[in-house]
Amino acid sequence: QVQLVESGGGLVQPGGSLRLSCAASGIILSAYTMGWYRQAPGKQRELVATITSGSSTNYAESVKGRFTISRDNYKNTVYLQMNSLKPEDTDVYYCNARYSAFYDYWGQGTQVTVSS
């Protein structure tokens, strides 16, 4: 059974940093494109960052230069380092593992709140 478990969310002041982790089990993470998405209540889920099996990265314009996605295939874990956080980054962040339209998995989400 495939599981993606996110951790590292929480409350942080504007300008602060958080590091999200997504631990995968039941899949060989190195074969998957991994991604972080976020969603606010009543809004569509939006892409934050992705990293391919070849470690090519892609970022939403709103997080470029502040967020960094990385992967550790030996630990079967993907990370999202978030710096210079803004109140508008407040959302539930979800981890995604995608190999194809059929092999597409989501974690349960972790709350990130940026507030003073």
Side-chain angles (χ1 to χ4, degrees), residues 30 60 83 96 100:
S30 60
N83 298 330
N96 173 257
S100 67

Side-chain angles (χ1 to χ4, degrees), residues 13-95:
Q13 291 188 340
S17 298
L18 283 175
R19 188 195 197 201
L20 305 184
S21 299
C22 172
S25 59
I27 60 171
I28 300 174
L29 187 138
S30 60
Y32 283 71
T33 289
M34 302 299 296
W36 287 96
Y37 293 74
R38 62 189 183 187
Q39 186 173 23
K43 293 189 176 181
Q44 278 196 320
R45 192 170 294 187
E46 64 176 15
L47 179 145
V48 176
T50 60
I51 183 166
T52 68
S53 57
S55 294
S56 295
T57 58
N58 180 52
Y59 296 92
E61 285 296 325
S62 60
V63 307
K64 278 184 180 177
R66 300 188 298 123
F67 291 10
T68 303
I69 189 171
S70 61
R71 62 194 301 157
D72 185 333
N73 292 331
Y74 294 103
K75 294 184 178 179
N76 241 31
T77 300
V78 64
Y79 305 97
L80 184 69
Q81 178 67 43
M82 305 187 294
N83 298 330
S84 301
L85 282 161
K86 305 175 181 179
E88 52 262 42
D89 294 317
T90 296
D91 269 323
V92 178
Y93 284 70
Y94 295 89
C95 177

